């Protein structure tokens, strides 16, 4: 990522780039920055954009790339969601990555890639491959603070941790929620927990945390209510199951570290999470010992298998899982 930032500052570009990963906000932001740096916003003569598998005609892309830029230093071609890094691209196109003209920059933007793919290896050998995945909590905190400071707003670290717990780690969602908070607190300098509760939409991560709280306390009714809320929000039962299993897995990791004598700060550092979240894990483990967490993970795996083999309906399967795991 630093090499890309250097290119944006110096104007020294490689011939080909690949942006990939699940953080759409970063991919869109850097794609825009690259476009503005190389051809500007209004240059349509030296800019070509291809989106989707049907649009990504490799012969046309190579033909355009070989065309001299029109009264400019460089030509930019962006190819997005082409699927070329998940399927077999032509040998000629892969070989072309080494022969792109010096006055052309080719940028691929993909959600999914296969590192065994021949085109991926060709881009990596002749250009720059940059993963744009979910950002760690410390970077998200710094990013949010910068957004708030720019608008003259302050927030306590505790309330900032609470905001992240509520929004999840998707930067697009965080950006939208921060903008809402800035507008909502017009005329005030400080953003509070009450403001967050009033205006911010709680994402699935927050509901999952609450659900495990309820499970750990043996509150079956509350766990099922939260499950019902997620179903009303059109969350698929299997996605809820995946999120539950992931959270149980993190709780198990926390439990093993606590066994080694780690406290909240050490836990947060080791797991790369906010101290606020580490504290919640420790609190959950007091009511939900490691042995029960392991059993919950086994139940998650069994439920997934039962649904995939047709033995259980997905909605009912997750409901039964919550009932079993919350039994005292």
């Amino acid at each position: 990522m630093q090499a890309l930032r250097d290119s944006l500052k110096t104007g020294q570009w490689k011939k080909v780039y690949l942006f990939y990963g699940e953080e759409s906000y970063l991919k869109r932001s850097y794609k825009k920055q690259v476009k503005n740096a190389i051809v500007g916003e209004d240059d349509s003569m030296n800019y070509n954009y291809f989106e989707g598998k049907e649009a990504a005609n490799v012969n046309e892309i190579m033909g355009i790339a070989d065309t001299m830029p029109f009264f400019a230093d460089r030509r930019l071609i962006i190819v997005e969601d082409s699927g070329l890094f998940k399927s077999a691209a032509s040998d000629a196109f892969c070989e072309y990555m080494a022969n792109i003209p010096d006055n052309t920059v080719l940028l691929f933007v993909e959600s999914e890639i296969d590192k065994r793919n021949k085109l991926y290896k060709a881009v990596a050998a002749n250009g720059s491959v940059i993963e744009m995945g979910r950002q760690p909590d410390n970077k998200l905190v710094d990013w949010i603070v910068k957004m708030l400071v720019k608008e003259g707003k302050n927030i306590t670290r505790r309330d900032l941790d609470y905001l992240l717990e509520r929004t999840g780690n998707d930067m697009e969602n965080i950006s939208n929620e921060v903008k809402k908070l800035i507008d909502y607190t017009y005329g005030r300098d400080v953003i509070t927990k009450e403001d967050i509760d009033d205006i911010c939409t709680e994402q699935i991560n927050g509901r999952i945390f609450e659900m495990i709280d309820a499970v750990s306390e043996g509150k079956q009714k509350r766990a099922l209510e939260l499950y019902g809320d997620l179903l009303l929000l059109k969350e698929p039962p299997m996605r809820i199951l995946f999120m539950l299993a992931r959270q149980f897995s993190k709780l198990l990791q926390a439990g093993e570290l606590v066994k080694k004598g780690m406290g909240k700060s050490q836990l947060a550092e080791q797991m790369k999470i906010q101290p606020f979240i580490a504290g919640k894990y420790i609190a959950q483990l007091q009511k939900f010992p490691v042995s029960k967490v392991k059993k919950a993970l086994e139940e998650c795996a069994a439920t997934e298998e039962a649904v995939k083999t047709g033995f259980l309906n997905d909605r009912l399967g997750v409901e039964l899982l919550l009932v079993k795991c919350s039994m005292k």
Side-chain angles (χ1 to χ4, degrees), residues 126-142:
N126 296 284
S128 182
V129 174
I130 303 166
E131 181 178 7
M132 297 184 178
R134 298 296 186 208
Q135 297 299 290
D137 292 338
N138 60 328
K139 289 190 176 180
L140 292 175
V141 166
D142 291 343

Side-chain angles (χ1 to χ4, degrees), residues 60-296:
E60 184 180 359
I61 293 168
M62 288 189 288
I64 293 171
D66 283 336
T67 305
M68 288 286 292
F70 186 74
F71 291 110
D73 293 331
R74 287 185 177 84
R75 173 179 298 283
L76 174 65
I77 303 170
I78 296 180
V79 182
E80 188 157 7
D81 291 329
S82 66
L84 291 169
F85 294 85
K86 290 284 285 182
S87 58
S90 70
D91 289 343
F93 191 53
C94 294
E95 292 168 6
Y96 185 72
M97 296 303 105
N99 301 304
I100 298 170
D102 292 337
N103 50 27
T104 292
V105 175
L106 177 56
L107 168 60
F108 295 99
V109 183
E110 302 289 331
S111 297
E112 296 183 25
I113 57 99
D114 183 345
K115 292 184 179 180
R116 299 167 297 179
N117 177 279
K118 193 172 181 180
L119 181 58
Y120 173 89
K121 292 177 180 178
V123 172
N126 296 284
S128 182
V129 174
I130 303 166
E131 181 178 7
M132 297 184 178
R134 298 296 186 208
Q135 297 299 290
D137 292 338
N138 60 328
K139 289 190 176 180
L140 292 175
V141 166
D142 291 343
W143 177 61
I144 295 170
V145 168
K146 286 178 183 176
M147 282 194 285
L148 294 177
V149 168
K150 186 178 178 181
E151 299 295 331
K153 301 290 184 181
N154 294 307
I155 188 171
T156 67
R157 179 55 195 258
R158 183 176 182 82
D159 289 344
L160 182 51
D161 287 342
Y162 179 69
L163 172 63
L164 273 175
E165 181 193 355
R166 196 172 179 89
T167 61
N169 62 357
D170 181 89
M171 292 179 75
E172 185 68 49
N173 183 60
I174 294 171
S175 176
N176 291 335
E177 296 302 319
V178 169
K179 287 173 184 174
K180 284 161 58 177
L181 281 167
I182 290 168
D183 291 341
Y184 185 70
T185 57
Y186 178 79
R188 288 192 282 120
D189 296 338
V190 178
I191 292 173
T192 67
K193 179 179 181 295
E194 288 71 27
D195 297 323
I196 296 167
D197 286 334
D198 286 346
I199 201 68
C200 291
T201 305
E202 186 174 25
Q203 297 300 297
I204 183 172
N205 285 344
R207 299 285 179 95
I208 293 293
F209 227 121
E210 283 188 60
M211 200 180 294
I212 290 185
D213 269 341
V215 167
S216 68
E217 294 169 7
K219 297 179 179 177
Q220 285 184 354
K221 184 178 178 182
R222 178 57 180 158
L224 293 172
E225 283 175 354
L226 289 163
Y227 178 49
D229 289 345
L230 289 174
L231 292 175
L232 288 173
L233 291 171
K234 308 298 184 185
E235 288 290 348
M238 293 307 284
R239 172 167 160 77
I240 297 171
L241 176 61
F242 167 77
M243 296 292 286
L244 281 168
R246 188 172 73 171
Q247 201 63 32
F248 280 130
S249 181
K250 288 181 178 180
L251 193 56
L252 180 60
Q253 182 187 356
E256 298 297 342
L257 293 173
V258 168
K259 276 185 179 180
K260 294 178 181 179
M262 290 191 184
K264 184 170 73 172
S265 298
Q266 292 171 303
L267 198 67
E269 183 178 354
Q270 183 74 20
M271 295 182 67
K272 294 181 172 54
I273 56 177
Q274 304 149 354
F276 178 71
I277 300 296
K280 291 201 72 170
Y281 283 148
I282 291 171
Q284 285 179 339
L285 286 164
Q286 290 173 351
K287 303 168 187 173
F288 205 61
V290 168
S291 58
K292 286 197 70 176
V293 177
K294 287 180 179 178
K295 180 64 177 173

